[in-house]
Amino acid sequence: MPAPLFLLLLGAGPRARQAPANGGIPAWRALQGEAAQAEAEGWRALQGDTRDEAESAQRAHGSPPCLRNLRKVGSGHNAAWHLATFEPSQSGGVLSRIDVLLALDANPTEPCLLLNFVHADGADGSKRTRVGHILLACGPSSSALRGMFVREELRGQGLSRVLLAVWLRLCASAQLSPTTQQINKPLLARSLEHFGFVPANRAFPVELKPPPPRPGEVAVAQRTAFTRTRYQPPRDAAQLDAAIDVALAGGRVSLAPSCDSAGTGGLPATSNDLACALTLRPLCSTVRIC
């Protein structure tokens, strides 16, 4: 069966499903202790569990240790974990409440995840409409942008910057360094530059033709984007935070309820839970089985 279009756009279609040399274990799973004994001992020591207790808990909960404190939604290939919610200051148009759901990516060479952005429709929020997603590579203390997708009918309305701002705000909350891998899409490169990111090299410039101005607007000059390069975040954290605030336009990013408080209006997940999730490493000092 052909890969879905959005996976092909990111280059993560059939190639991502090829069996790796380690026996078919996805890279994120190796970090949980299923590829080598040394890795296994590392995460088990952080969890404070014995081998049998840890594996029994993972089978019962259906979540790897790094995500065990988050509320799981869906199962099987549709499994995801509710990470955060974006509430715009004013709802309307393409902007309404957006839930951020973390899904595991089966990349065999490095641990990766998808941040799926969905509108929670209906009175009870049970009907979800996908807005787009961000593909991230997970380092021990960093979150690296690999690619991004926004539904075609929602493009051209500034939504990509909002989604990037949500990711950047989550990185700040988790005290992770936001970075990128090689960026090949000129529009994504330009969006990163709005947050103060700078290209590692400028060898491949691409001239972008601006859209025609709307009535009453001033025409924008032609712009240049740099592709086939990594982007580095601004050194000034205050500059980045200010750019995030501008993109969110008064909206608020809040962490979702943790697994032991879901449905009760209890405490949200902690920044430590968030760091565990975005790095796919079980760093959490407190594990709540749910």
Side-chain angles (χ1 to χ4, degrees):
M1 178 181 294
L5 176 59
F6 73 87
L7 289 178
L8 292 175
L9 290 173
L10 290 172
R15 182 179 180 182
R17 294 194 295 270
Q18 293 175 355
N22 62 4
I25 299 175
W28 68 263
R29 193 177 295 278
L31 295 173
Q32 315 310 311
E34 298 184 21
Q37 182 68 20
E39 287 287 343
E41 292 300 334
W43 70 255
R44 272 198 298 274
L46 291 171
Q47 313 307 308
D49 292 332
T50 66
R51 179 181 178 88
D52 290 341
E53 289 171 343
E55 291 183 352
S56 176
Q58 184 171 345
R59 285 195 299 269
H61 181 49
S63 299
C66 60
L67 301 175
R68 196 183 296 164
N69 287 351
L70 301 179
R71 183 167 62 91
K72 186 178 181 181
V73 294
S75 60
H77 294 296
N78 296 319
W81 289 262
H82 191 187
L83 196 61
T85 297
F86 169 65
E87 294 277 0
S89 58
Q90 294 181 344
S91 296
V94 296
L95 277 185
S96 59
R97 169 180 160 165
I98 296 177
D99 286 339
V100 185
L101 305 180
L102 184 153
L104 296 169
D105 182 76
N107 189 311
T109 59
E110 65 179 330
C112 296
L113 61 83
L114 284 167
L115 291 186
N116 289 314
F117 299 88
V118 297
H119 283 313
D121 303 322
D124 60 353
S126 59
K127 183 181 178 182
R128 299 181 182 275
T129 304
R130 185 184 294 247
V131 174
H133 68 249
I134 289 177
L135 178 61
L136 302 171
C138 309
S141 59
S142 65
S143 179
L145 178 69
R146 295 188 62 197
M148 185 176 187
F149 172 80
V150 175
R151 281 173 50 197
E152 186 171 358
E153 63 269 27
L154 300 178
R155 296 173 188 172
Q157 304 178 62
L159 191 55
S160 62
R161 290 186 197 173
V162 174
L163 303 188
L164 285 173
V166 171
W167 163 60
L168 292 169
R169 182 54 50 85
L170 292 175
C171 287
S173 298
Q175 298 184 342
L176 299 177
S177 174
T179 62
T180 82
Q181 294 194 347
Q182 180 170 293
I183 300 299
N184 296 321
K185 295 182 178 180
L187 293 178
L188 180 54
R190 284 292 301 175
S191 293
L192 287 167
E193 290 180 9
H194 277 280
F195 291 97
F197 281 70
V198 293
N201 71 70
R202 299 171 182 263
F204 299 98
V206 176
E207 298 299 324
L208 297 176
K209 183 178 180 180
R214 298 175 183 175
E217 291 183 342
V218 178
V220 179
Q222 187 165 313
R223 301 165 297 175
T224 301
F226 298 95
T227 60
R228 298 170 66 180
T229 180
R230 295 172 182 259
Y231 274 75
Q232 300 168 343
R235 295 182 179 179
D236 187 350
Q239 175 191 350
L240 178 58
D241 198 54
I244 294 171
D245 286 338
V246 170
L248 296 179
R252 187 167 63 95
V253 179
S254 56
L255 299 186
S258 62
C259 62
D260 63 345
S261 62
T264 65
L267 295 174
T270 67
S271 58
N272 206 28
D273 296 333
L274 183 59
C276 291
L278 291 178
T279 62
L280 292 181
R281 286 161 172 82
L283 309 172
C284 309
S285 58
T286 303
V287 177
R288 302 181 296 275
I289 304 300
C290 57

